[in-house]
Amino acid sequence: CIIVTLQSVVYTGHYSKDCQNFESVFKMSRKTFDYICTLITGDFSRKTQGFRNFRFGDKTILALEDQVAVALLRLTTGESLLSIGNRFGMNHSAISNITWKFIESLEDHAISHLKWPDPEEMATIKAKFEKLQGLPNCCGAIDTTHILMCSSAQPNSNVWLDCENKNSMVLQAVVDPDMRFRDVVSGWPGSMDDSCILRTSGFYKLCEKGGRLDGQMELPGEPAGSVVREYIIGDTGYPLLPWLMTPYQERDLSPAKAAFNKQHAAARMVVQGAMARLKERWQVLKGELWRPDKHRLPRIIYACCLLTNIMIDLGDTHRERAPASHDHDDGYYQQFSNVADDGAVAQRDVLCQFVSRLGSKLPE
C-alpha cells in the first residue's frame, strides 16, 4: 500500500534499514532525497506557514519530508492529483499546492545544478567527447522531444497539434557526455519543427552573438591552420552551422564521411538517452498528462531536469538504470533541414578528415 510506504519509509526512525524499499518508491537514493529536503527546507518552513498544517487522512500532520515525498510521487508516477489525493485521504487541491510549492522551491534553490559549463567543466566535457567518439572540441549534443498534452486542455486551438496529430509541447535540450542537462527550454507548441525552435531560442541567439561556443582549437596532427570552433552536435533536423555540426545527408557516402556519420551518431546517443531516461523516470512527462496547463507545463519539465541533474551530481546510482529504448519520441518521423552555412561545411569536412585518420584508434 503506497500510503503505508510513504508514512513509514520517509521517516528514518521507522524505516532506516529498508533502503531498497525506499528507492523502489521514489526512484532515488535516500541520500538524494535528504539533500533535496535540505535544499528547500527554508521555503517550506519560512515562506508559507500553512504548509505545516496539511494532514493525511488519519489527521497526521505532513512534515517537510512528507510534502517532498508527495511532490516526488506526483512527478514519478504521473498520476492525477485526484488519484494521489485519494491514496492519502487528502484533497486534490492540497496535492497541487504541495507540488507547486516544491517546484517553486527547486527553481529558487537548485538552479546551480543546471547551468552552462564553466571553462574547467567544458575542458572535461570536450575531453570526454574526443576520447569516446573522436570528436575534438565538441561541447554537447542537442535534441528535442514531445511532451504529450490532453487535447481537452487546449480547446479551439490547432497550434498545439503536431505532425502526428497529437497535442504536445516541445522540450529542447543540450546535454553533456554524462547525460547532464546543460541548457533546456520548453513551451513551444508541437506544431513547430526543430530548426524553427532552435532559431527562436535564447541558446541560438547566444551562440550567434559569440556568447557561447566561440572558442577554437588547432587539430593535432593536421596541416597548419586546421582550426575548428567549439560546437555541439545535432541530427538532420537541424541546420549545419559553425557551432552546430550535423551528419552528412547525401547518398553514396565516401568511407571518410560514413566514418564521421558513425561517430556522430554514437556521440548523439547521450542526448537520446538523456531524453528517454527523463521520460522514463518522471512519468508525469510520459503519455498524456492529466489536464496540463500550458503555462505551468514548462516549469514541470524544468523541475524534472533539475532533479535529474541533482541525481547525477550526487552520484545516485539509481539514475543509471537504462530505459528499454532510447527512442524518446516513438512514432515521430525524422526531420530534415537543408540549411548549411558555407563555413560550417568546411569545418565539418575538416572534422571528417580528422575522424577518418583516427580510424581504428576509436572505441567500438
Side-chain angles (χ1 to χ4, degrees):
C1 177
I2 290 284
I3 187 169
V4 174
T5 303
L6 177 61
Q7 290 181 275
S8 58
V9 173
V10 166
Y11 295 107
T12 304
H14 291 175
Y15 240 107
S16 60
K17 297 181 179 180
D18 199 349
C19 293
Q20 183 176 359
N21 188 34
F22 181 94
E23 293 183 1
S24 69
V25 175
F26 299 108
K27 298 184 179 181
M28 63 176 57
S29 68
R30 179 68 202 224
K31 174 186 174 183
T32 301
F33 181 89
D34 289 342
Y35 173 79
I36 293 171
C37 290
T38 302
L39 200 63
I40 66 175
T41 184
D43 279 356
F44 272 73
S45 61
R46 180 178 64 255
K47 291 186 178 179
T48 310
Q49 299 296 323
F51 271 92
R52 292 181 292 177
N53 298 324
F54 282 116
R55 298 174 183 269
F56 288 112
D58 63 0
K59 306 305 180 181
T60 303
I61 296 177
L62 275 72
L64 166 68
E65 291 82 2
D66 296 316
Q67 295 177 56
V68 172
V70 166
L72 287 174
L73 284 176
R74 165 72 171 138
L75 299 178
T76 57
T77 66
E79 294 182 12
S80 70
L81 299 172
L82 184 61
S83 176
I84 293 179
N86 287 339
R87 287 176 179 266
F88 308 123
M90 298 173 65
N91 188 287
H92 73 275
S93 63
I95 303 297
S96 177
N97 288 335
I98 291 171
T99 302
W100 280 109
K101 183 59 184 176
F102 175 72
I103 290 174
E104 289 171 356
S105 296
L106 281 178
E107 291 173 335
D108 290 340
H109 300 293
I111 192 171
S112 63
H113 288 279
L114 203 166
K115 59 183 177 64
W116 192 248
D118 60 32
E120 183 177 351
E121 290 177 310
M122 187 61 82
T124 300
I125 289 171
K126 292 179 185 179
K128 286 185 177 180
F129 271 118
E130 184 166 5
K131 179 180 179 180
L132 293 175
Q133 308 302 342
L135 297 176
N137 225 22
C138 180
C139 301
I142 189 171
D143 203 355
T144 62
T145 196
H146 292 81
I147 310 298
L148 299 186
M149 306 167 69
C150 178
S151 58
S152 62
Q154 315 301 333
N156 304 319
S157 176
N158 291 326
V159 70
W160 298 98
L161 281 177
D162 57 36
C163 60
E164 294 297 318
N165 204 35
K166 300 175 182 177
N167 284 275
S168 66
M169 180 178 288
V170 180
L171 162 66
Q172 173 184 283
V174 179
V175 308
D176 65 20
D178 298 316
M179 299 190 185
R180 182 183 288 104
F181 292 96
R182 289 297 186 169
D183 186 281
V184 298
V185 65
S186 62
W188 290 288
S191 58
M192 295 177 64
D193 62 30
D194 292 354
S195 181
C196 184
I197 289 172
L198 173 68
R199 292 183 182 279
T200 57
S201 68
F203 179 80
Y204 176 88
K205 295 178 176 63
L206 281 171
C207 293
E208 286 293 293
K209 293 178 180 179
R212 286 183 181 174
L213 303 177
D214 63 339
Q216 295 185 336
M217 73 169 289
E218 185 170 342
L219 295 180
E222 298 297 303
S226 296
V227 176
V228 293
R229 176 180 173 173
E230 290 180 336
Y231 61 91
I232 58 173
I233 55 174
D235 64 23
T236 56
Y238 290 101
L240 177 61
L241 303 170
W243 49 269
L244 175 51
M245 295 288 101
T246 59
Y248 291 98
Q249 296 186 41
E250 63 259 34
R251 296 181 179 180
D252 301 322
L253 294 175
S254 67
K257 290 182 177 180
F260 174 83
N261 277 9
K262 178 182 178 182
Q263 298 308 127
H264 190 282
R268 291 202 317 274
M269 290 295 288
V270 295
V271 68
Q272 294 166 5
M275 295 293 207
R277 291 186 181 193
L278 183 74
K279 287 183 172 181
E280 187 71 22
R281 179 175 305 284
W282 312 108
Q283 292 287 309
V284 72
L285 305 180
K286 190 176 182 181
E288 289 196 12
L289 282 169
W290 183 79
R291 295 179 61 189
D293 182 329
K294 66 178 182 291
H295 300 295
R296 286 187 167 188
L297 181 53
R299 297 175 67 184
I300 295 176
I301 297 170
Y302 182 64
C304 292
C305 292
L306 281 173
L307 289 167
T308 298
N309 280 9
I310 287 173
M311 295 179 71
I312 294 174
D313 291 342
L314 294 184
D316 194 325
T317 57
H318 200 85
R319 62 98 181 175
E320 297 174 357
R321 299 182 183 180
S325 169
H326 280 194
D327 187 2
H328 56 82
D329 250 356
D330 187 30
Y332 288 86
Y333 65 82
Q334 176 61 54
Q335 299 178 27
F336 293 91
S337 172
N338 295 319
V339 177
D341 176 270
D342 289 342
V345 171
Q347 172 163 298
R348 184 174 63 180
D349 287 342
V350 170
L351 286 170
C352 176
Q353 293 303 315
F354 179 81
V355 171
S356 177
R357 289 190 179 93
L358 287 180
S360 59
K361 295 180 181 180
L362 294 175
E364 293 295 332

